Amino acid sequence: MADNNRQPTDPAWESKVRASFARQTFMRFIGARIAALAPGRCAVEVPFRSDLCQEDGFIHGGIVTAIAANAAGYAAFSLMPASSSVLGIEYKVNLDEPTPGERFVATGTVVKAGRTLSVVESEVRAEADGKSSAVAHMLATMMCSAKTEAGHGA
Amino acid sequence: MAPELKPRDPAWEACVRDGFARQSFMAAIGAKIAALSPGMCELELPFRADLCQQHAYVHGGVIAAIADTAAGFAAATLMPAGAGVLTVEFKINLIAPAEGERFRARGETVRAGRTLTVVESEVSAEKGGVWRPVARMLATMMCLEGKREVRP
């Protein structure tokens, strides 16, 4: 469950996370934004768009997965020290039945913040007409790299 | 060819290509089918600067999306006529940054069951003429008989 006592080690954690998210051209491409951010917790939202679909007109599982992993990555990054960067190492995702929705919200919550590896749970919910239903569950491992984001040459 | 990789639908190839063509997201990112055979589907994606993460490598979400889509259509090649394919779950390891000029995701069916199909998918990147693996997935696909035409 969400641990509300997480203490960020980087005083500039929030601007660091937002700046990194803003550099992700793919999130801009799909129209995703950060919907909520707290130490150890990040929500990423994407509105439905007809060019992000699978063959039956539902949102593509790749989009659901991408926002789940991104929310997980930034939840972990919020607790990482200054002058580090975050890398997605692996994850497992279960996708429920295709679900229509006006928007899809992925919420990543840090389960364990280690020095090198962090474990993060992420849930994606479809929202429409004030109703919300779960569409995917992920468990992800994120790595803290000592390289700064600038060190990756981005 | 292993007996279990025999297509049940004589029109399997046209069905798979049609299903892929209806995925607006694959068109949006510029992915194409590079190779297709019973039990196998390979997709190709050229690098694009608007598909990147914060270090200007291709976003892990894009890599997972092509791995998942290749896996899904690899499974679909062996499904009966009129069936739809759904991803139930997958595990992916992102083993290297997705750096390169183009990417290939190759899904290969491990076991084709009546309801569930297990597929392995590997994504490689080509940089300077050399292909290197960047991700490996193991996915479970579900066959939905007679649900192909279901639309939201």
Side-chain angles (χ1 to χ4, degrees), chain A residues 20 24-26 29 50-56 60 63 70 74 89-93 95 98 149 152 154, chain B residues 19 22-25 28 48-52 54-55 59 64 69 86 88-92 94 148 150 152:
Chain A
S20 179
Q24 293 207 335
T25 59
F26 180 56
F29 177 68
S50 61
D51 64 342
L52 303 179
C53 290
Q54 39 85 298
E55 63 270 35
D56 295 320
H60 199 286
I63 299 287
N70 231 38
Y74 286 118
I89 298 301
E90 63 82 42
Y91 53 80
K92 158 80 161 70
V93 64
L95 298 160
E149 295 223 328
H152 287 272
Chain B
R22 286 191 283 123
Q23 289 211 346
S24 61
F25 179 50
R48 246 173 47 185
D50 60 349
L51 302 179
C52 291
Q54 67 276 22
H55 310 134
H59 199 285
T69 303
L86 272 187
V88 174
E89 61 83 42
F90 61 78
K91 159 74 163 73
I92 187 167
L94 301 161
R148 178 166 212 111
V150 172

Side-chain angles (χ1 to χ4, degrees), chain A residues 1 10-11 13 27 38 57-58 101 118 120:
Chain A
M1 267 321 290
D10 181 359
W13 66 273
M27 287 296 117
F58 295 99
S118 294
V120 190

Side-chain angles (χ1 to χ4, degrees), chain B residues 100-144:
Chain B
E101 296 102 42
R102 53 185 179 143
F103 302 87
R104 274 191 192 153
R106 185 183 173 94
E108 294 202 47
T109 301
V110 175
R111 184 188 184 263
R114 199 168 49 154
T115 305
L116 298 177
T117 295
V118 179
V119 188
E120 264 182 0
S121 201
E122 187 179 68
V123 185
S124 320
E126 186 189 32
K127 195 188 171 193
V130 180
W131 287 93
R132 276 184 325 130
V134 296
R136 183 69 79 87
M137 174 183 283
L138 193 62
T140 309
M141 298 292 162
M142 186 179 228
C143 174
L144 289 179

